[in-house]
Amino acid sequence: MSAIGRVTASALAATNENTFGLANFNIDFSLVKVEAPIEYGGLRSALSRHRVENAEQGPQHRTARRLGALFEQILPPIKKLAEAYGRRSSQIAETEKRKSPVNIPADSQLI
């Protein structure tokens, strides 16, 4: 009789462990790469290679993608705001790029 009780207890423990393991399912949204909108093209061309890599794959960008996925359903759409910001930041970057001295390399830390 005691052997049957042990089997039942072990079956319940296994079910409990599976349920607990499934509750800790985690998705990493930072693995999905999304291209920047066209409006940000001027900004990208003004940045050094190191800064572009950091902006596209750095820890701050991964955090931003995770937060974006988390709050996507709550936030209102900002398409026109993002387009206007991209155009203006690209204009500023292009203006500053034309003003910068010629002897500073593009990959320098000053940009």
Side-chain angles (χ1 to χ4, degrees), residues 8-98:
T8 306
S10 66
L12 290 176
T15 303
N16 191 14
E17 289 175 14
N18 287 339
T19 305
F20 183 70
L22 294 175
N24 288 329
F25 183 66
N26 189 5
I27 298 174
D28 190 4
F29 292 102
S30 64
L31 298 175
V32 178
K33 180 165 172 105
V34 178
E35 292 295 322
I38 297 169
E39 293 84 14
Y40 291 88
L43 180 61
R44 187 180 201 279
S45 65
L47 295 175
S48 68
R49 182 177 41 88
H50 172 68
R51 289 188 183 251
V52 169
E53 288 175 11
N54 191 24
E56 291 178 350
Q57 299 170 3
Q60 293 162 336
H61 188 67
R62 286 193 301 268
T63 302
R65 283 188 278 186
R66 288 177 183 152
L67 288 172
L70 182 64
F71 293 110
E72 183 178 22
Q73 302 298 322
I74 300 170
L75 297 175
I78 59 163
K79 184 176 180 177
K80 293 199 183 282
L81 176 64
E83 289 173 358
Y85 183 79
R87 282 192 302 271
R88 183 63 182 140
S89 61
S90 293
Q91 287 174 350
I92 293 169
E94 288 295 323
T95 303
E96 292 301 316
K97 189 176 180 182
R98 281 187 242 127

